[in-house]
Structures are given as structure tokens and as C-alpha cells.
Amino acid sequence: MSQVAAETLQETASAYRWVVMGVWLTSSVVAFMIISTIGILMPAISAELGLSPFQQGMLGSAAYWGNLTLAIPVGWWASRFAPKILTTVTMLLGTLCLLAQALSPGFALLILGRVAFGITVIARQPARAFLTQQWFPSRQVVMLNSISNAMFGLVVGGGIAASPFIFAALGDNWRATLLSFTALFGVFTVVWMIFGRERETSEYRGQLGAQDVNVLKGTLRHRDLWIGGFGFVGPTAAWSAFLSFYPTLMLESYQMPLIWSGGILAVGVLMGGLAGLGLGWVATAHDKGRYILLVNGVVIGATFAGMTLTGSLPALLVLTFVNGIAFGFWPVLYSTPFHLPGVRPREIAVSLSFIQMSSSAGITIGPLICGALQQATGDLRLSLAVVSFTSLSLCVAGLLMRYGLSSRRGEDTRSS
């Protein structure tokens, strides 16, 4: 192949990377949007199935149980497969899991369907690591994750805001709402099958071929990976507790319609996505990731707690706006696996599964702690306020991390 032809091929591949990652990331955040709308559907589900507060907490966290217990082994096993086929299979299985939830006759099958759907999400994560390494240089990883975070805010926030209207349009039928989500996810599955593509450069194949046989040992030896994982636990615990119980608190305490409480939560998610773009740039250009974690951990706890103390819509909008900006830390901490010294492709894939497991741990325990506290005290407001300050784990990560917050670890040799 001539030099000109090679350069043309390189340009084509580089341009197409945005299509590949755009489709993959959109499909991923649609999955999280579907999971995150459970709080809007919870009153109807609870009324039909007669759920206790603790059972509601179980339902709110169930999609992350498999991630919590199986993330590392599933990530290690799934990292053996090519990203195109891995993504296709897990999305097909995910669609079937959503269908099972919509058709479930009782609580047990509904829980099982959410657990299984969560496992398909975690099994898909190694594909993201491989595709990122195949298509993007390491100096662009934080920015790519910032774009992903913005998409998360737009899609998940938009989904939370839209779900009360969808729910109402479908006759307040939670099963019909889940069926509509099933159809949406099925469409994205087909879109990925059409547009998803891999790009294995000679350097990537060389790195993959040189991979240490003991992938798990190589992955878990990194101190910053453990600290970064701990940093995710607290904020995600507070966030998931609010997604599951905040609409109920506002409805019972202030007779606030689900449309408004869902909108408040959506504003926070949306701002978190957009703020991630700015904070990701600050962390990359000015190496301020540590300060971002220290400040944002405090702000998240304070604003969440404040949201439990008032029914004033203007005050709540200000609080959720600031809270959302504080959640812009996500792409900074999520990029940790790509910046670890001497890390290899499969180790990055398993590291992302570890990070996902850590965030799932928070998302799992948040609703469970809140539900248990409410059942013990009878005070949902106090329960949510207590869970709010688990976000301080982010400050601990900011204090203790050494390498994982900086992308300035030498020149990247991969082509862009």
C-alpha cells in the first residue's frame, strides 16, 4: 500500500471512531436511563405488588447486585471476546431481560429480570475499554469520558424527565412503560449491529499479545484503582437512594407531582453530564483532578441533604443545579484505569469492570440503607439526609490517589 493510501485509510478510521463510540456510548447510557427511571415507576409497582419500604429499596438496587458480586469475574471472562460480538450479544440478552421485567407476574421475577439486566451491562464494559484503546490516544481519554458523561446527563436526565409523561400517556401502566423501554433498547441493539466496528492497529495487537497471563493479579496490584473505586461508592450510594425514594418523599411530604420531582432529579443528572465536559478539560489541561474530588464530595453531600429540607421549587432547582455540577467529577475519576503505570489492554478492561463494580456497590447499598433506615425510624427525610453524606468518600479518594488523576504520564504513541 502506498504512503498516500495508508494516510487516507488512517484518516477514514480516525473519523469513523466518533460513529463507533457514539453508537456504543448512546446504547450504554440508554441502558442506565432505563434502570434509573425505577423511582418514577416505584409508587405504581409498589401499589400493585404490595411492596414494603425495604422491598422497594431492593427493587431500586437490584440492577446492580450482579455487578457488585460478579463484576471482576465477568469482566475478566468477557475481556477474552472481541468488542463487536461482546456488545451485540449482551445487548440482545439485555433486551430479553427487559421484556421479562415487563411481563413479570410478581416481585421475584421482576427482581430477577433487573439483576440479569445489570449483569449484561457489566459484561459489556470490557468492550468499551478495547474500543477506546483501538480508536483513541490516551491523551483524549478524559475528554472522551467527559463526552460520555455529557451524553449520560442528556439521555438519563431526559429519560427521567420524560418518563412521567410516558407513564401517564400509557395510562399509568408501569408494565406498558417497561415495554416501551424494551422496544427502544431493541432499536439501539440493531443500530449497533449495523454501525459497530473494530480497529486493531499493529501497536494494539502487540500490546494485547504481550499481555501478562495473570490478568487479575496485574489489574488488582494498582493501589490507585482501589482508592478510585472507593471514591465512587459514596456519591453513587447517595444518588441511587435519591433516585429510588426522592419522588416518594416529595409526594408524601409536599404533595409534589411525580412530574416535578422527576424533573428536579433530571436537572441534576443533566447538569452533571454537562459539567463533566468542563471539569474534564480542567483536570486534563491544568492537572486539577485532586481538587475537583475534594470539593465536589462535600458539595454533593450538602446539596442532597438540603433537598430533603424544603418543598420550594426555586430552592430545589438551585440545589439540584449545584449538585449536578458537583457530579461532573465522574469522567475525571472514571479515567483512572487508563492512567495507571504500565497497564495493559486486558488489565484496563478488567479495571473498568472493577470501577463499575465499585459504583454498583454504592448504587446497591444506597437504596438498601435508606429503605432499612426508613423502616427502622419511620422517617424517610432523615434516612435520605443520612445517606447524602456518604459522598465524602470522594474526598478520601482525592486525598490518597497518586497517579490515577493525571493523564500526563508520557507521550502517547498511538495514532489519533
Side-chain angles (χ1 to χ4, degrees):
M1 180 182 293
S2 67
Q3 183 177 357
V4 174
E7 290 176 354
T8 301
L9 179 60
Q10 175 66 34
E11 291 176 1
T12 301
S14 296
Y16 196 74
R17 63 184 172 175
W18 297 108
V19 176
V20 174
M21 291 307 296
V23 173
W24 197 98
L25 292 173
T26 303
S27 301
S28 176
V29 296
V30 165
F32 282 105
M33 180 274 290
I34 293 171
I35 291 173
S36 300
T37 56
I38 187 65
I40 302 299
L41 305 181
M42 188 74 76
I45 296 174
S46 180
E48 178 180 330
L49 302 181
L51 305 184
S52 69
F54 187 69
Q55 286 178 314
Q56 293 176 48
M58 291 175 63
L59 187 60
S61 65
Y64 300 92
W65 292 356
N67 300 6
L68 178 61
T69 57
L70 300 174
I72 296 298
V74 168
W76 169 79
W77 176 77
S79 69
R80 300 181 175 190
F81 298 97
K84 174 65 182 286
I85 186 65
L86 176 61
T87 300
T88 301
V89 170
T90 54
M91 290 191 70
L92 285 171
L93 292 175
T95 303
L96 293 177
C97 292
L98 289 173
L99 180 62
Q101 292 176 55
L103 302 179
S104 60
F107 179 66
L109 186 57
L110 181 59
I111 284 282
L112 182 61
R114 283 182 64 80
V115 171
F117 185 74
I119 292 175
T120 67
V121 172
I122 193 64
R124 195 156 50 248
Q125 293 308 305
R128 173 173 179 165
F130 289 144
L131 291 170
T132 298
Q133 294 170 87
Q134 288 177 2
W135 291 93
F136 289 85
S138 63
R139 65 179 180 274
Q140 295 181 352
V141 169
V142 174
M143 186 51 60
L144 175 65
N145 287 334
S146 298
I147 293 172
S148 169
N149 197 59
M151 294 173 63
F152 184 94
L154 290 171
V155 175
V156 177
I160 293 173
S163 57
F165 295 97
I166 298 172
F167 180 59
L170 295 174
D172 293 342
N173 188 324
W174 65 270
R175 296 181 186 277
T177 304
L178 280 178
L179 283 174
S180 70
F181 291 158
T182 303
L184 176 65
F185 198 70
V187 169
F188 276 100
T189 301
V190 174
V191 171
W192 166 258
M193 294 170 66
I194 296 172
F195 292 102
R197 187 182 300 175
E198 297 180 39
R199 176 176 173 261
E200 292 192 6
T201 63
S202 58
E203 180 188 357
Y204 175 81
R205 287 192 295 269
Q207 290 178 337
L208 200 60
Q211 176 70 64
D212 190 339
V213 174
N214 197 335
V215 177
L216 285 178
K217 182 178 180 180
T219 300
L220 300 179
R221 65 186 168 89
H222 294 285
R223 171 182 176 273
D224 275 11
L225 180 63
W226 291 88
I227 296 172
F230 177 74
F232 269 113
V233 172
T236 54
W239 181 70
S240 64
F242 270 72
L243 281 183
S244 297
F245 287 101
Y246 191 69
T248 300
L249 174 67
M250 291 293 102
L251 184 63
E252 293 179 350
S253 299
Y254 301 104
Q255 292 73 53
M256 181 178 288
L258 294 175
I259 290 176
W260 286 111
S261 58
I264 290 168
L265 293 174
V267 168
V269 175
L270 175 61
M271 288 310 305
L274 297 178
L277 290 172
L279 294 181
W281 176 81
V282 170
T284 301
H286 301 286
D287 203 21
K288 298 296 184 182
R290 186 178 311 278
Y291 301 104
I292 290 172
L293 301 190
L294 290 172
V295 173
N296 289 12
V298 175
V299 173
I300 289 171
T303 51
F304 265 147
M307 288 170 62
T308 68
L309 301 176
T310 179
S312 167
L313 187 58
L316 289 172
L317 288 174
V318 171
L319 287 168
T320 195
F321 185 88
V322 176
N323 179 273
I325 292 176
F327 265 98
F329 80 86
W330 193 277
V332 178
L333 198 55
Y334 193 81
S335 300
T336 294
F338 295 91
H339 302 150
L340 298 173
V343 70
R344 300 283 186 172
R346 282 191 68 195
E347 292 175 359
I348 294 178
V350 177
S351 294
L352 283 183
S353 294
F354 180 88
I355 291 294
Q356 192 70 38
M357 179 192 72
S358 301
S359 62
S360 297
I363 293 172
T364 299
I365 65 176
L368 291 177
I369 292 174
C370 189
L373 285 173
Q374 183 194 2
Q375 194 153 316
T377 65
D379 191 335
L380 179 55
R381 187 193 314 277
L382 175 63
S383 302
L384 281 171
V386 169
V387 177
S388 298
F389 287 99
T390 57
S391 64
L392 296 178
S393 71
L394 195 60
C395 301
V396 176
L399 287 171
L400 298 181
M401 291 186 75
R402 295 175 182 171
Y403 308 112
L405 296 177
S406 176
S407 59
R408 299 177 180 182
R409 300 197 50 77
E411 293 296 322
D412 188 270
T413 57
R414 283 179 290 169
S415 61
S416 59

